[in-house]
Amino acid sequence: MTPGALWIITMSGICIVIQSSAVHLRNMEHFITAVTHLEDLNPGLSPLALVTSLRKIADQSDSLTHDLVGSSDNRGDIHYETNSFITEQMNINHNLSNFLDEVTHHFITNDHDQRGVVLTPDGTTVALAPLLLGLEYGLRANKASNQPHGFHLLPLAKYLGMSFLQFGNATPPQRLGLDGCWDSVSAPMVFTLSGVPSLATDALVHGGMDGAILGKHLSVVNSSEVNLSTLLRSYYLGTMEELDHDLSTHLRGRYRRENFKKITNVSLLQEKVADALHSHQQKGDLGVESLMEKGIKDFMLRYMECPAIIPRCMWGAAPPLVPLNPLSPPLPFLYIHHTAIPSKPCRSLQMCSKNMRAMQHFHQKGRGWYDIGYSFVVGSDGYIYEGRGWMSVGAHTKGHNTVGYGVAFIGNYTAHLPAQYDMELVHHHLVKCGVSNGFLQENFTILGHRQVVAGTGCPGESLYSEITTWEHYKDTDPFK
């Protein structure tokens, strides 16, 4: 019997798991399983009462929360509520309560370990505190006669506003981020940030965006039919195979950037950040207004314009055999490839990561290259995978590696195309991100591998035909 099976059987099973090392796994599956048990143990508890209790366990109470969710949150006794009041009002095992406290309570240690975050199956790290706030706001708005304008953005706005204030004048400004790495993707326990973080790390932003998306959804559905664990399971644990071709309609975590765009805009987000700063007596200050405008611009670039990229540590990359030579951006070219082998699209983090490791091993051991050759690789799971990245010379397009980036689609695209969504990640998002961040020249050129290297059919007949319709494509070989 696996530890995961023990979670499903009985409350005593939870106790067994919680006393073992498995309980410390910081993944979304375990959190949702815990929520399911709370629902089973408290069948008369409403979704709002449940998520409010979880939010209090996460110790999320401040003046902004107080203004929106009401006076029941007494800042002076929130710690008492967390440890005593909640367990008295709910049927909850002490060990389960401790687990939820550990997995939801957000803070960053002196060693830059970020707590209160979980790893989702698609490779995204999400902070639970802003997610829970967003869920609660949505359920409360559902019951309100007049929903507060832009209420769904407030949890995210709080973190953005405080980060803009604290780090906006730093040199260089670090208003957003960072990301980090888990000690183990299969058994995550410790998430370590890649440097000195802002107050709006990627995980907090992801949680805030998800809270906004799901909160907005909860505000308009029939609340009597809401099951919290079912909603979370569908949003985070749904597989690509469960989706049909109309991706825009799907409430899934892997599409958070696209779905977030539908419920916000620059002016609305800026207004909500201003509201959050007002709760800290900062609204109206011209210096603050300037920091806020710059911060919102950074946010839109980082999380709306740029695609989500799975870092090397998440797919299990081996280190380069030697230090890689640096590039000198902005570069004038982007070269499109297909991998041919692996020949099938990968539709999950596990499969795409396996393909990435196989390609890197072949490139290093079979080809004698220092690292995986491509700058970036596109999976069919809704994500781009980091290869050598923006700053290192690749080994993708012989004779042209110092003047362009190599982007490969996993699969063989001789007879058919990658999914439309995956292609848009490249020609709508990755290239715009590259230009905006100074990696690609504004007048850059897109070319197929076959146009500059003789003897190859890459990127496949179908994909090559497709890229000839893309903006920035040139049908002539600039090197002849």
Side-chain angles (χ1 to χ4, degrees), residues 117-253:
V117 299
V118 294
L119 178 62
T120 67
D122 66 359
T124 305
T125 299
V126 174
L128 292 175
L131 168 64
L132 293 171
L133 276 174
L135 294 173
E136 182 178 2
Y137 288 8
L139 288 167
R140 289 186 181 276
N142 186 287
K143 296 180 177 297
S145 56
N146 293 309
Q147 294 183 1
H149 179 61
F151 70 90
H152 54 286
L153 298 175
L154 286 172
L156 174 62
K158 179 183 72 169
Y159 291 103
L160 294 180
M162 295 309 297
S163 191
F164 297 165
L165 283 179
Q166 180 160 339
F167 293 95
N169 286 319
T171 305
Q174 183 60 49
R175 289 180 279 263
L176 296 164
L178 298 166
D179 202 355
C181 294
W182 287 93
D183 56 336
S184 169
V185 175
S186 59
M189 294 175 65
V190 179
F191 183 71
T192 303
L193 295 161
S194 56
V196 178
S198 71
L199 296 181
T201 64
D202 283 356
L204 283 169
V205 171
H206 294 154
M209 293 170 72
D210 290 347
I213 294 165
L214 294 176
K216 184 70 171 177
H217 170 74
L218 288 172
S219 72
V220 297
V221 299
N222 186 343
S223 60
S224 65
E225 298 177 356
V226 171
N227 180 273
L228 191 60
S229 62
T230 299
L231 176 66
L232 294 173
R233 187 172 290 107
S234 173
Y235 187 77
Y236 288 110
L237 308 187
T239 65
M240 292 294 292
E241 286 72 16
E242 295 171 347
L243 303 177
D244 59 31
H245 298 293
D246 187 10
L247 301 177
S248 62
T249 66
H250 292 290
L251 203 63
R252 294 290 189 272

